[in-house]
Amino acid sequence: AERVLAERCYVIDAAVVRFMKSRRRCSHADLCGEVGKLLRFPVKVTDIKKRIEVLIEREYLQRDEEDQSMYEYLA
């Protein structure tokens, strides 16, 4: 069960990065909604949010300085 959860983290990360690569800029609500649609398994918004935070730490994404609900793709 733990291995499945660990693998899902990578799948969520990949979905977020893939979507953001095509969009460049996106709101939190749109990003969570689209990633939820892309995945083939049920996922909680809180799980997506955690993965977004990790991607921000790893400098794949950043928050918009003027509008904190918007993300920008960096990599």
Side-chain angles (χ1 to χ4, degrees), residues 22-67:
S22 68
R23 272 284 181 88
R24 292 274 164 218
R25 224 178 118 74
C26 188
S27 72
H28 177 76
D30 287 347
L31 180 57
C32 289
E34 289 299 321
V35 168
K37 287 180 200 168
L38 288 171
L39 299 173
R40 291 198 173 106
F41 53 87
V43 63
K44 295 183 196 128
V45 173
T46 52
D47 293 337
I48 296 173
K49 193 173 178 186
K50 284 177 196 163
R51 300 315 303 165
I52 290 170
E53 291 302 325
V54 169
L55 290 168
I56 289 172
E57 285 170 23
R58 289 168 48 198
E59 298 183 358
Y60 280 90
L61 306 176
Q62 72 180 12
R63 288 187 199 285
D64 187 303
E65 288 169 21
E66 289 155 29
D67 183 356

